[in-house]
């Protein structure tokens, strides 16, 4: 079954609220307002959460991702990772099933805005082979620490917001 962006929003909310162990999110773009909605779906504070964003300087300068997501992750005790190759949109629940499609963790991607993107996603069980792929990828990503975050903020603040810098690597 295909979910549009608003159906995915409802399915993701249901999945998070019934989650028992873990949630892994791989999303190229993450906006703070959508991330706040995501946080509000958790009924259990003991869930292990790992977030992987792309976070290129261009993403941050153009506003398609927000720096504040790291601070929210940190306040929840969640792991925040980055990989500038990341273009996936995967919401993995309890290592048993995933919502996979075109929806980033943004208001437009999840149908949280009146003028959202048109997105399609599917829900499916994940095998041990799938989990190994996801875990191997997540292990290869950079875990953001306060020191890394401060360096990113420093570069962000010293960059002109009108210029897009695709060649800078964190």
């Amino acid at each position: 079954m295909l979910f549009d962006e608003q159906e995915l929003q409802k399915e993701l909310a249901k999945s998070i609220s019934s989650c028992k162990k873990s949630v892994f999110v791989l999303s190229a773009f993450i906006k703070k307002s959508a991330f706040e909605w995501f946080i509000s779906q958790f009924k259990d504070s003991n869930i292990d959460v790992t977030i992987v964003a792309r976070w290129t300087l261009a993403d941050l300068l153009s506003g398609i991702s927000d720096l504040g997501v790291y601070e929210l992750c940190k306040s929840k005790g969640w792991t925040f990772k980055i990989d500038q190759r990341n273009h996936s949109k995967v919401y993995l629940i309890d290592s048993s099933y995933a919502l996979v499609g075109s929806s980033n963790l943004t208001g437009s991607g999840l149908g949280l805005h009146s003028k959202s993107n048109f997105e399609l996603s599917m829900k499916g069980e994940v095998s041990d082979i799938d989990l190994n792929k996801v875990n191997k990828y997540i292990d290869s990503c950079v875990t953001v620490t306060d020191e890394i975050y401060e360096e990113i903020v420093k570069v962000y603040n010293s960059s002109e917001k009108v210029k897009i810098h695709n060649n800078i690597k964190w």
Side-chain angles (χ1 to χ4, degrees):
M1 172 182 195
L2 287 173
F3 298 110
D4 68 20
E5 66 283 355
Q6 291 183 341
E7 293 166 330
L8 176 67
Q9 175 197 135
K10 290 176 182 137
E11 186 63 31
L12 184 58
K14 184 174 88 172
S15 296
I16 292 169
S17 68
S18 64
C19 180
K20 303 289 184 224
K21 300 179 287 186
S22 63
V23 174
F24 292 90
V25 175
L26 307 168
S27 180
F29 312 133
I30 304 177
K31 293 292 288 174
K32 187 176 177 185
S33 60
F35 197 67
E36 290 169 337
W37 171 88
F38 175 80
I39 290 170
S40 73
Q41 304 311 303
F42 284 84
K43 306 294 183 235
D44 185 345
S45 61
N46 295 319
I47 304 298
D48 181 36
V49 179
T50 300
I51 307 295
V52 180
R54 189 168 78 178
W55 259 32
T56 65
L57 182 57
D59 296 343
L60 298 169
L61 290 173
S62 66
I64 58 176
S65 282
D66 292 329
L67 285 167
V69 172
Y70 169 74
E71 294 163 342
L72 289 170
C73 276
K74 183 180 171 187
S75 74
K76 302 296 287 179
W78 294 352
T79 302
F80 184 74
K81 294 184 169 235
I82 55 175
D83 178 19
Q84 294 185 342
R85 301 172 305 136
N86 183 20
H87 200 263
S88 55
K89 292 91 175 162
V90 177
Y91 303 87
L92 179 60
I93 310 296
D94 285 334
S95 297
S96 62
Y97 66 92
L99 300 158
V100 180
S102 61
S103 292
N104 283 295
L105 185 46
T106 63
S108 295
L110 294 177
L112 298 171
H113 302 312
S114 59
K115 290 188 176 186
S116 294
N117 297 338
F118 175 71
E119 309 281 359
L120 289 174
S121 300
M122 294 183 77
K123 179 180 177 179
E125 292 183 21
V126 292
S127 68
D128 289 340
I129 293 170
D130 298 328
L131 288 176
N132 286 337
K133 287 176 189 174
V134 170
N135 288 327
K136 183 178 177 183
Y137 173 70
I138 289 173
D139 288 346
S140 76
C141 298
V142 174
T143 301
V144 177
T145 62
D146 287 344
E147 294 76 23
I148 291 171
Y149 178 70
E150 288 171 17
E151 186 62 29
I152 291 170
V153 169
K154 184 175 154 186
V155 171
Y156 173 85
N157 286 337
S158 68
S159 299
E160 293 182 39
K161 298 210 175 27
V162 294
K163 292 183 179 177
I164 302 301
H165 302 275
N166 288 322
N167 59 344
I168 294 178
K169 302 286 184 196
W170 300 126

